[in-house]
Amino acid sequence: MSDDCAGTDARAGGDPHQAQVAPLPGPGVGLPATAADARALVREQMALGAPDPQDEEAGARMLADALLVTSELVTNAIRHGDGLTAFDLWITDDGLILNVADASTCPPVTTDPRSREKGQVGGFGWPLVCRLARHVAVTALPDGKQITVLVSLTPPA
């Protein structure tokens, strides 16, 4: 398979958003067909194992962040990554770990708002993921890539 990755930005190297997260062995949760299916899996796992927030508003924010990151990663895998090939999640003491893999070797794209063409769509999801996740790693695979994120489920101290 050949990917045309011209114009993409891997955000690799010295980027602070590229902190490495070691893949953890965890239960496969099945391959969701849509971003909505993936969000449902995250909601279910968080209901079963996420720490109970002291503050209801903080809990709602953390859930919203986790669901938004999930939506962005799964939607991009389906729309731009030649299809979702793997999806796993774990609740740990550190937060929600998501592994999302797709069939494209092209790295995520970031669009500079100052150089956008009129009518250009997309390019804002990746910076959003990097802002909301505590750690982000993109791992090249022989048949695509895997993105691993850690989304905190505890409010900042």
Side-chain angles (χ1 to χ4, degrees):
M1 171 175 73
S2 171
D3 285 319
D4 178 12
C5 299
T8 60
D9 177 7
R11 310 285 305 174
D15 187 333
H17 297 299
Q18 290 297 317
Q20 295 297 311
V21 177
L24 300 174
V29 294
L31 197 59
T34 66
D37 292 343
R39 289 190 305 271
L41 290 168
V42 168
R43 271 194 189 97
E44 179 182 310
Q45 290 297 313
M46 288 184 66
L48 294 172
D52 189 25
Q54 304 274 346
D55 175 353
E56 188 174 319
E57 183 180 324
R61 265 194 319 270
M62 289 179 290
L63 175 62
D65 289 352
L67 295 176
L68 184 54
V69 168
T70 301
S71 271
E72 284 294 330
L73 293 176
V74 172
T75 298
N76 287 343
I78 292 168
R79 294 178 86 195
H80 308 294
D82 297 330
L84 187 66
T85 59
F87 179 86
D88 289 299
L89 65 99
W90 300 268
I91 304 291
T92 70
D93 290 342
D94 292 327
L96 171 69
I97 297 174
L98 285 172
N99 285 328
V100 177
D102 63 44
S104 172
T105 57
C106 294
V109 174
T110 300
T111 300
D112 182 349
R114 296 169 294 192
S115 64
R116 289 181 68 81
E117 302 281 330
K118 184 176 179 171
Q120 182 179 350
V121 178
F124 293 108
W126 184 242
L128 187 61
V129 167
C130 292
R131 181 179 171 99
L132 294 176
R134 198 164 88 199
H135 297 286
V136 178
V138 179
T139 305
L141 303 173
D143 57 351
K145 68 181 166 298
Q146 175 178 286
I147 298 176
T148 303
V149 296
L150 171 63
V151 179
S152 180
L153 298 180
T154 55

